[in-house]
Amino acid sequence: MEVEAATQQPGKNGSSRQHRSACAATRPFRNPLLVVNFILMVVGSACGPLLLRAYFLRGGARKWLSSLLQTAGWPLLLVPLCFSYRSRRRREEDVNGGAAASWFLMTPRLLVASAVIGLMTGLDDLLYAFGLAYLPVSTSSILISTQLAFTAAFALLLVRQRFTAFSVNAVVLLTIGAAMLGMNAGGDRPAGVSREQYRAGFAMTLGAAALYGLVLPVMELSQARHAARAGAGAVTYTLVMEMQLAIGFVATAFSAVGMLVNNDFHAIPGEAREFGLGKAGYYVLLAGSAAMYQCFFLGTIGAIFYGSALLAGVIMTVLIPVTEVLAVMFFHEPFNGTKGVALALSLWGFVSYFYGEVRATAKHRSDEPPKPEHLDP
């Protein structure tokens, strides 16, 4: 369970990180663990928003509760972490003759960084929950896709992610798609939602996309700085899971405080009795939402570990059509021409970015000097 995959130390110009993200984007299926994280993102991204929207459609109304559900699955990480600790302890005993292995790999500085990211994630979850309460899943998903533009911008500032003409084109296309939805605001307004609520949900969803676009590069930056201090091999997948555990705990605590202030804990039994799927269905839906979102967040931080923040943002963008189709199938949401054009622009932006990464990798390889064994005698 202990995966000792090394993370390269970032250079001053960020070239090693750029090369790593390009290679991950062009050869994703050659790394089995990246494939596992991609599957986790697919499952979480497809099922999480649908379950959370179903909560509101069937009578749920607690925004802080729906925010908490997005990170409440963090205890699930204790199972693989326990297996990892046992494996690490056996290895330490064999190597050091009985010396006890440390319980955690995180340093205090990385723990503080994870706690800050957890607070940011908790606020992002709240904004997203408010948006999903008033918007159709199809509209919300397209708006969330704009996080790729915000991720690219913040990655440029924080981790020196290099911009190309293709990534700029992707940002522009995503921005145009969101603007089109904004001009059509209210055209797909759900029954019972006022125009003011729809506009508030629209703005909060865009805010959630912007904040999560900041969270992803901050995660990558914290991993890179830890690698720079402790050595390239210090960042393992076990450490990544520990980071996600700390992030989930702090974000859940943030939402739990809001629930206490809003008296949500006392309201849950009554809401369960009046829920459209019944009391048992209510609690099953809550548990399923927590599990699906945990899959999504673990897959996201794994994609950052094996690739980059921008790669994680691209994967989330390309999964939009899956959520769109499922929302139309299960909730019979309207899908008008404006949404279709916005979705096409989002996918065009993804293709533009991906093609740019392929070209960047090809150019990097062509610029590399030949290895000595490949030189003519």
Side-chain angles (χ1 to χ4, degrees):
M1 194 65 206
E2 177 75 3
V3 183
E4 298 295 340
T7 300
Q8 297 178 356
Q9 293 190 24
K12 291 183 179 181
N13 59 358
S15 59
S16 62
R17 188 185 300 109
Q18 175 69 19
H19 173 61
R20 184 184 61 170
S21 64
C23 292
T26 55
R27 296 184 299 168
F29 295 103
R30 295 190 181 184
N31 189 327
L33 287 173
L34 180 58
V35 174
V36 170
N37 284 279
F38 176 75
I39 294 173
L40 289 174
M41 288 187 70
V42 170
V43 173
S45 180
C47 300
L50 296 177
L51 292 175
L52 205 59
R53 180 60 181 163
Y55 164 77
F56 290 111
L57 290 176
R58 297 294 182 174
R62 299 290 162 177
K63 313 298 189 305
W64 280 104
L65 173 61
S66 58
S67 173
L68 179 138
L69 291 176
Q70 296 173 56
T71 52
W74 63 267
L76 296 174
L77 294 176
L78 293 173
V79 176
L81 284 174
C82 286
F83 281 106
S84 177
Y85 170 74
R86 291 181 59 185
S87 174
R88 189 166 67 251
R89 185 178 64 180
R90 286 195 299 266
R91 187 169 58 253
E92 290 289 336
E93 289 175 352
D94 294 338
V95 174
N96 300 325
S102 59
W103 279 95
F104 300 102
L105 300 177
M106 295 183 67
T107 61
R109 184 175 296 184
L110 188 58
L111 179 62
V112 171
S114 299
V116 173
I117 296 172
L119 291 174
M120 296 168 63
T121 302
L123 178 58
D124 179 77
D125 292 343
L126 181 63
L127 293 173
Y128 179 71
F130 266 91
L132 201 57
Y134 301 132
L135 298 179
V137 175
S138 53
T139 302
S140 175
S141 298
I142 296 176
L143 289 175
I144 285 296
S145 73
T146 59
Q147 58 79 30
L148 179 59
F150 294 110
T151 299
F154 287 121
L156 173 66
L157 296 175
L158 297 179
V159 296
R160 300 298 186 266
Q161 182 80 41
R162 185 173 59 87
F163 262 103
T164 65
F166 298 98
S167 56
V168 171
N169 184 54
V171 170
V172 172
L173 291 171
L174 290 168
T175 304
I176 294 174
M180 289 183 61
L181 289 176
M183 290 186 292
N184 191 49
D188 61 344
R189 182 160 45 95
V193 175
S194 67
R195 187 172 296 275
E196 290 73 20
Q197 288 175 327
Y198 186 95
R199 289 173 177 171
F202 194 98
M204 289 185 179
T205 304
L206 272 180
L211 183 55
Y212 204 65
L214 173 62
V215 167
L216 295 180
V218 170
M219 286 183 183
E220 182 180 357
L221 181 63
S222 62
Q223 292 180 16
R225 287 188 171 178
H226 179 78
R229 287 190 300 267
V235 181
T236 64
Y237 193 65
T238 297
L239 181 67
V240 169
M241 286 193 292
E242 290 183 4
M243 284 184 64
Q244 180 56 35
L245 183 76
I247 292 170
F249 174 80
V250 174
T252 303
F254 174 85
S255 299
V257 172
M259 289 182 65
L260 285 172
V261 174
N262 203 42
N263 204 30
D264 282 359
F265 287 105
H266 293 288
I268 288 177
E271 189 175 72
R273 287 192 297 268
E274 300 174 1
F275 196 63
L277 299 177
K279 187 174 181 180
Y282 178 83
Y283 290 110
V284 169
L285 189 145
L286 296 188
S289 298
M292 291 301 100
Y293 274 107
Q294 189 56 49
C295 289
F296 171 75
F297 282 117
L298 181 59
T300 300
I301 199 171
I304 294 173
F305 173 65
Y306 289 110
S308 68
L310 204 51
L311 174 63
V314 168
I315 293 175
M316 280 187 272
T317 301
V318 80
L319 293 176
I320 291 173
V322 179
T323 306
E324 295 282 339
V325 172
L326 293 176
V328 173
M329 288 174 54
F330 290 106
F331 299 143
H332 306 290
E333 293 184 354
F335 194 83
N336 54 33
T338 303
K339 280 188 183 181
V341 174
L343 177 59
L345 290 173
S346 298
L347 294 178
W348 185 7
F350 160 75
V351 172
S352 175
Y353 169 80
F354 190 80
Y355 178 71
E357 291 297 295
V358 171
R359 289 195 53 172
T361 301
K363 184 177 184 303
H364 179 88
R365 289 176 179 172
S366 64
D367 292 341
E368 285 181 346
K371 295 181 180 180
E373 61 267 22
H374 294 157
L375 294 175
D376 294 332

